[in-house]
Every structure is written in C-alpha cells, then in structure tokens.
Amino acid sequence: DRSVQNDRKHLIEKMKIRIEDAGAGGGEEVMREYKETSERDAFFEKELIDLHQSADSLKNLIVELEQKLDQEFRDGVLKINTQFGQFFTLMFGGGTAKLEIIREVKKKKSDTDLSGLEEGLSSETSSEDTDEVSEGIEIEVSLPRKKIKGLMMLSGGERALTSIALLFAISQVNPPPFVILDETDAALDEANSRKYGDMIESLSKLSQLILITHNRETMSRAGVLYGVTMGSGGVSKLLSIAFEEAVVVAK
C-alpha cells in the first residue's frame, strides 16, 4: 500500500511540475483564470443572443420595408397613370395610355447544368433549377383614329410625344424643385408645340423650369429668356429678357 501511495505522490508531483511548466501557476491562479473565462463565456453568450435578436429584428424590418415600398410603388403607378392618360390625350387629341406592372418568371439554371454533363445528371440539375421572378413596367398606348397599339409600333415623333407626356405626368405626381428640359420639343410641329406650351405652363405652377429650346412657341411661354448673340465686332454677348418687364416698357 505504501508503494501505491508513493507512486500516486510521484504522479501528483509530476502533474504539478507540468502545470508549472505550462505557466498555469498555483491553484488560486487556476481558479481565478477559470472564473474569468467563465464570466467571459457568459458575456459572449449574452452578446450572441442579442445579435440573433437584432438579426431577427432586421429581417422583419426588411420585410416590412419591402412590403411598404411595393405598395407605395403601386400607388405611385396608379397616380402617374391618371396624369399620363390626361397628358397623352392632350398631346394626341384622344387615345389612351397607361403604365402596367408586369411580372416575368424565368428559369434560372444551376451551374452544374453543363452541356457536357447533361446525360446522367438531368434529374439532379432539374431539381436545382429555381424560378427567378422579375418585375417591370410596360407602356400601353392606343392612338386615336388609328389601329396602333403598343409602343413599338409608334413612329419616332409619336414616341417623343409619349415620352414627354410620361415625363410631365411623373413631374405632376411628385413635383421636383426644378426641372431641366433639353430640346424635348425638337420633334414637335406647330400644333403640338402649342399643346407642349400649355403643358409647360401647367408644370411651371409646381416646379421651376429651365428649358433649352429653339422653338418659338416654347420661348413665348417663358418668363425670362436668355440667349447668346454676336454683334458686328464678332464678340458673343449674353442677353436676357424678362417678358413682363419688356411688356411694361413697350407700353
């Protein structure tokens, strides 16, 4: 029995030496390190729970925002359609125009669906195919007194008029502080230029407009006209005319 005790004593001494060599120090240091480690693990566990809760909250917030954005987008399209139809009818003297939200479902092939591995893997790849749903906007138009429906069937000038009507409709629904229009009336004839001028005046009540144009009808609707002229000396000069002041001076 004494030999067994001596063997255990030697074993304990060896374990103490190994612990000391490992830098663990005495028993008090080991217990203190254990306590600190336990407290740190408890802290990290609590932090991990908080992170999971925050992640769940963010996921719910993302879902709510997506639903809200989708609803506001659809409401905005309905409001734009009202103005779009009115402007389109004014520009073309009739007809209808509207925006429509379309959904397109596409098959998305997995990377493993290669031409060289089609045989023997068809069942595996087909199970990995996923449906990719994408939304878009389609413009539906119908011209008066013409059997023309669809944007692709319109001429270049008709597309320009449709684009102008849509641009003004969007500006009417959510008026920006100012709008810059660069030669948007270049493709218009005299009759349509007058209609364009009427829409310009309507839009100017909601936003400040800056127009770049060579159209006399459009220029006649402006409040202030800026232009560049060159005198006999060959020097360019910037001129400005405020029509209200010019009328007073003329009288």
Side-chain angles (χ1 to χ4, degrees):
D1 293 337
R2 185 175 295 276
S3 62
V4 174
Q5 292 178 358
N6 290 333
D7 292 339
R8 290 177 177 175
K9 184 177 180 180
H10 289 308
L11 179 60
I12 292 173
E13 293 295 334
K14 289 181 179 179
M15 293 178 65
K16 287 182 177 180
I17 293 173
R18 291 181 178 177
I19 292 174
E20 291 177 356
D21 292 340
E28 294 181 359
E29 294 182 2
V30 172
M31 293 303 297
R32 184 168 59 253
E33 183 177 354
Y34 170 76
K35 183 179 179 180
E36 292 176 355
T37 304
S38 299
E39 292 176 352
R40 186 167 61 251
D41 288 344
F43 173 76
F44 286 149
E45 183 178 0
K46 182 177 180 301
E47 290 291 310
L48 188 60
I49 293 175
D50 292 341
L51 287 175
H52 283 303
Q53 291 177 349
S54 299
D56 293 337
S57 299
L58 287 175
K59 290 178 181 178
N60 294 332
L61 180 60
I62 290 173
V63 173
E64 292 177 3
L65 288 176
E66 288 179 346
Q67 293 175 350
K68 184 177 181 180
L69 289 173
D70 182 71
Q71 185 61 43
E72 289 185 354
F73 173 74
R74 296 179 185 278
D75 293 341
V77 170
L78 292 177
K79 294 178 181 178
I80 291 174
N81 273 336
T82 302
Q83 298 293 333
F84 186 29
Q86 294 176 359
F87 280 125
F88 185 87
T89 301
L90 178 61
M91 292 294 289
F92 288 93
T96 59
K98 67 176 182 177
L99 303 178
E100 184 177 357
I101 301 174
I102 58 173
R103 293 172 59 90
E104 185 176 0
V105 180
K106 296 181 180 180
K107 286 289 184 178
K108 185 178 180 181
K109 296 292 184 179
S110 60
D111 294 338
T112 57
D113 190 10
L114 303 177
S115 58
L117 300 177
E118 289 181 354
E119 296 182 0
L121 295 177
S122 58
S123 60
E124 179 181 354
T125 55
S126 61
S127 63
E128 294 180 358
D129 291 347
T130 56
D131 292 339
E132 183 178 346
V133 180
S134 60
E135 286 191 347
I137 293 291
E138 185 173 343
I139 301 177
E140 293 187 0
V141 297
S142 177
L143 295 181
R145 300 175 296 277
K146 291 184 179 181
K147 295 181 179 180
I148 294 180
K149 294 184 178 181
L151 190 63
M152 300 302 298
M153 299 179 65
L154 301 181
S155 64
E158 292 168 340
R159 291 184 187 181
L161 293 175
T162 304
S163 301
I164 293 171
L166 179 57
L167 174 63
F168 285 7
I170 296 174
S171 300
Q172 288 275 37
V173 171
N174 188 18
F178 63 90
V179 180
I180 299 177
L181 301 174
D182 186 2
E183 298 284 358
T184 53
D185 54 359
L188 305 182
D189 56 19
E190 185 176 355
N192 287 325
S193 293
R194 287 193 294 269
K195 297 176 183 178
Y196 178 83
D198 294 338
M199 289 191 294
I200 286 293
E201 289 189 358
S202 176
L203 189 60
S204 66
K205 298 176 182 179
L206 303 175
S207 303
Q208 184 176 1
L209 304 182
I210 301 175
L211 293 88
I212 302 172
T213 181
H214 290 87
N215 191 299
R216 290 178 297 177
E217 180 66 31
T218 304
M219 286 188 281
S220 67
R221 307 298 181 101
V224 181
L225 189 65
Y226 295 92
V228 179
T229 184
M230 181 180 294
S232 58
V235 179
S236 298
K237 294 181 180 181
L238 180 64
L239 299 179
S240 64
I241 300 175
F243 284 145
E244 292 183 359
E245 298 178 2
V247 171
V248 174
V249 173
K251 291 182 179 179

